[in-house]
């Protein structure tokens, strides 16, 4: 609703769970912008079709071979990844396509172009500049080209040199319309320029995603083995060691009490109902005597509903109900699964505590829950959301829907429901947002259908 209140033409930034950022305009309906962005996220992550097929085939053979009571007669081996020359050809073809599309982003009759991409799995920078009559003209890299760059880097990671840290593409327009293309890969042998150096956490993420046999010393120091940012080679430490002639500081007396860090301050401490508070910090959520650590949580829900009470002699009134729930599928505190705030008024503002919990769930819980469920699906497992069974073949709702991933055309969220559209079906199938993990359905469908 807040999105709809923005003036038409304002910039809106969408952030994916990998840190990818896309700018859209408020003139695009929110559902459409979200659906497009989710589809792009699925494209960034997907493997080539033949790789997915071979992995699924291998998994199925291993499942049959491991079935109890069956003789070990089935022996299936995927003969490595595609040959190196095939992968190299794909990388080269993508690089050529990137250069061609970049060339279309400049002014007419430009003489020279230079593009530099600095990438990790969770962040990136892109610089693009054209020269016309020896005057530099900066340009913006469109999102569709950024997608190609990410895909090229993912394929290049399978090469012996591993994933590059920077890709430089230079194009010079020669006589007769002939262009000279030069491509250079930077694997971090030297420290990257400050303007193209990403934050240490992004390089830690990249090293975890693409383990390397040898990591440059500066990158190992900069990323920090313990997750702490260290000083770069070009900056002096703000703390200097005392001179050797300085007298040592006296040790504190043995009777001095040990120092204790201040307890972590909760980001939510709100009354729910009449007498009980819900308290949440970065580690856990507590309501009364019940408590759960965030890392233990297996499902989340936060539906919002509005009830209109029609008046006869008096104006109609409205009741807004804000629900937040988390829990485990096994033995889980029931009280944490149904925290409810109520407010009256047609244009009531959501409670700050509910908004803070929802924001934390979207930022911290949902990426983990989504990754776990996608991994479960791809390994041949299944789970339920409401009455909908989600499995590797698609979605099953007994007596209503039996749809494979390829037959799903659209998933939208509206009016407290997830609406799932299937090719050939006139009416969409609905799943209530009140169901545990229903908020994950659109992204699950986008990832699997993609």
């Amino acid at each position: 609703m807040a999105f709809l209140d923005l003036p038409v033409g304002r910039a809106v930034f969408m952030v994916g769970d990998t840190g990818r950022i896309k700018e859209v305009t408020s003139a695009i309906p929110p559902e459409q912008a979200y659906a497009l962005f989710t589809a792009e996220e699925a494209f960034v992550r997907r493997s080539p079709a033949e790789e997915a097929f071979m992995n699924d085939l291998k998994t199925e053979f291993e499942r049959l071979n491991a079935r109890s009571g069956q003789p070990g007669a089935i022996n299936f081996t995927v003969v490595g990844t595609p040959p190196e020359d095939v992968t190299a050809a794909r990388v080269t073809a993508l690089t050529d396509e990137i250069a061609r599309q970049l060339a279309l982003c400049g002014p007419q009759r430009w003489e020279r172009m230079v593009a530099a991409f600095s990438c990790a799995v969770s962040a990136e920078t892109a610089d693009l500049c054209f020269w016309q009559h020896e005057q530099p003209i900066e340009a913006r890299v469109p999102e569709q080209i950024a997608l190609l760059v990410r895909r090229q880097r993912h394929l290049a990671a399978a090469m012996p040199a591993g994933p590059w840290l920077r890709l430089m593409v230079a194009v010079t327009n020669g006589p007769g319309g002939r262009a000279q293309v030069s491509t250079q890969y930077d694997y971090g042998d030297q420290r990257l320029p400050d303007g193209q150096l990403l934050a240490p956490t992004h390089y830690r993420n990249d090293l975890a995603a693409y383990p390397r046999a040898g990591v440059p010393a500066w990158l190992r120091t900069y990323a920090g083995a313990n997750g702490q940012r260290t000083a770069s080679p070009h900056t002096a430490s703000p703390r200097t060691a005392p001179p050797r002639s300085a007298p040592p500081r006296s040790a504190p007396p043995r009777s001095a009490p040990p120092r204790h860090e201040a307890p972590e301050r909760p980001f939510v401490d709100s009354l729910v109902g009449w007498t009980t508070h819900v308290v949440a910090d970065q580690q856990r959520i507590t309501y009364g005597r019940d408590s759960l650590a965030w890392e233990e949580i297996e499902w989340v829900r936060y539906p919002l509903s509005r009830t209109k009470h029609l008046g006869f002699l008096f104006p109609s009134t409205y009741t807004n109900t804000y629900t937040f729930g988390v829990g485990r599928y096994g033995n889980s505190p029931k009280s944490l699964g149904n925290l409810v705030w109520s407010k009256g008024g047609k244009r009531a503002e959501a409670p700050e505590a509910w908004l803070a919990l929802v924001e934390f769930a979207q930022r911290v819980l949902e990426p983990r829950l989504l990754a776990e469920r996608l991994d479960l699906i791809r390994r041949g497992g299944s789970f339920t959301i409401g009455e909908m069974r989600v499995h590797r073949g698609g979605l099953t709702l007994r007596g209503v829907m039996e749809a494979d991933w390829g037959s799903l055309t659209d998933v939208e969220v509206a009016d407290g429901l997830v609406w799932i559209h299937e090719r050939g079906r006139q009416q969409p199938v609905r799943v209530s947002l009140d169901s545990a993990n229903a908020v994950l359905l659109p992204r699950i469908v986008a990832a699997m259908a993609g």
Side-chain angles (χ1 to χ4, degrees):
M1 296 304 296
F3 190 101
L4 296 177
D5 291 336
L6 287 175
V8 175
R10 290 287 297 273
V12 178
F13 296 90
M14 309 185 75
V15 184
D17 53 13
T18 62
R20 188 174 72 93
I21 302 174
K22 178 179 180 179
E23 181 182 353
V24 298
T25 171
S26 57
I28 301 176
E31 295 84 0
Q32 180 181 343
Y34 177 81
L36 178 61
F37 185 71
T38 313
E40 291 173 353
E41 288 285 285
F43 175 82
V44 172
R45 291 170 176 77
R46 71 177 180 179
S47 301
E50 61 271 23
E51 293 178 17
F53 171 78
M54 295 303 293
N55 289 334
D56 290 344
L57 190 61
K58 179 176 182 291
T59 301
E60 182 63 14
F61 268 84
E62 290 176 346
R63 185 186 68 81
L64 293 173
N65 197 31
R67 183 182 294 174
S68 60
Q70 295 290 330
I74 299 175
N75 186 12
F76 183 89
T77 303
V78 175
V79 186
T81 55
E84 185 177 326
D85 57 342
V86 174
T87 303
R90 291 177 182 169
V91 171
T92 301
L94 267 178
T95 306
D96 292 343
E97 181 61 24
I98 290 168
R100 280 193 293 268
Q101 293 199 24
L102 286 172
L104 301 177
C105 299
Q108 293 183 354
R109 294 184 295 277
W110 53 268
E111 295 97 18
R112 185 163 53 98
M113 178 205 81
V114 174
F117 300 91
S118 178
C119 293
V121 293
S122 54
E124 62 194 22
T125 65
D127 299 312
L128 177 60
C129 187
F130 293 85
W131 278 263
Q132 187 179 44
H133 306 303
E134 297 303 321
Q135 294 295 322
I137 302 173
E138 293 186 356
R140 180 179 174 184
V141 176
E143 178 62 23
Q144 61 267 25
I145 299 180
L147 283 171
L148 293 178
V149 173
R150 297 183 198 110
R151 185 62 184 155
Q152 193 265 18
R153 184 174 189 264
H154 176 68
L155 290 177
M159 302 291 289
W164 46 263
L165 297 184
R166 281 199 308 158
L167 167 65
M168 283 77 73
V169 179
V171 181
T172 302
N173 271 332
R178 294 184 178 180
Q180 296 180 349
V181 181
S182 172
T183 304
Q184 181 180 357
Y185 297 98
D186 186 347
Y187 294 96
D189 296 333
Q190 301 294 328
R191 186 178 185 273
L192 271 58
D194 289 339
Q196 296 173 342
L197 188 65
L198 305 175
T201 182
H202 299 307
Y203 292 114
R204 289 196 292 272
N205 295 339
D206 204 67
L207 291 172
Y210 299 115
R212 295 154 171 84
V215 180
W218 74 267
L219 182 57
R220 190 184 309 111
T221 303
Y222 178 73
N226 59 354
Q228 300 295 325
R229 179 168 182 167
T230 57
S232 64
H234 299 290
T235 57
S237 174
R239 296 183 180 179
T240 56
R244 294 183 180 273
S245 58
R249 294 182 179 180
S250 58
R254 294 181 180 272
S255 59
R259 295 179 61 184
H260 297 281
E261 295 184 359
E264 183 179 349
R265 183 176 179 180
F267 63 86
V268 168
D269 188 349
S270 171
L271 188 66
V272 180
W274 295 100
T275 59
T276 309
H277 281 249
V278 57
V279 179
D281 56 28
Q282 301 294 323
Q283 305 302 322
R284 61 195 311 111
I285 179 172
T286 302
Y287 178 70
R289 296 182 178 180
D290 294 330
S291 182
L292 274 178
W294 293 114
E295 61 185 13
E296 299 178 274
I297 289 169
E298 297 175 340
W299 59 262
V300 62
R301 67 187 186 100
Y302 41 85
L304 165 64
S305 64
R306 174 181 294 170
T307 305
K308 181 178 181 180
H309 309 280
L310 296 176
F312 177 63
L313 299 176
F314 302 96
S316 300
T317 59
Y318 298 82
T319 300
N320 302 276
T321 304
Y322 306 85
T323 304
F324 183 85
V326 291
R328 296 177 301 208
Y329 285 110
N331 183 20
S332 182
K334 293 183 178 179
S335 64
L336 289 171
N338 198 44
L339 303 172
V340 180
W341 291 262
S342 295
K343 296 185 72 174
K346 187 175 182 179
R347 298 187 178 276
E349 294 185 357
E352 292 185 2
W354 182 82
L355 287 174
L357 289 171
V358 170
E359 187 275 334
F360 185 87
Q362 292 175 335
R363 178 171 52 87
V364 177
L365 290 182
E366 290 185 23
R368 173 176 64 82
L369 296 176
L370 177 65
E372 291 173 353
R373 270 132 196 85
L374 289 176
D375 179 66
L376 178 61
I377 294 172
R378 288 162 179 155
R379 287 188 289 107
S382 66
F383 55 91
T384 58
I385 295 180
E387 297 182 356
M388 180 77 70
R389 179 170 169 264
V390 185
H391 51 92
R392 186 160 61 181
L395 301 178
T396 300
L397 185 59
R398 183 171 298 178
V400 179
M401 168 185 273
E402 184 69 45
D404 58 57
W405 296 113
S407 68
L408 302 178
T409 59
D410 189 23
V411 180
E412 55 183 339
V413 177
D415 303 325
L417 299 168
V418 180
W419 303 74
I420 303 173
H421 299 263
E422 183 185 9
R423 188 179 296 109
R425 179 186 293 273
Q426 293 183 353
Q427 298 295 330
V429 174
R430 299 171 295 178
V431 177
S432 172
L433 283 175
D434 195 55
S435 303
N437 283 339
V439 294
L440 302 179
L441 258 179
R443 281 180 285 173
I444 290 174
V445 172
M448 296 305 297

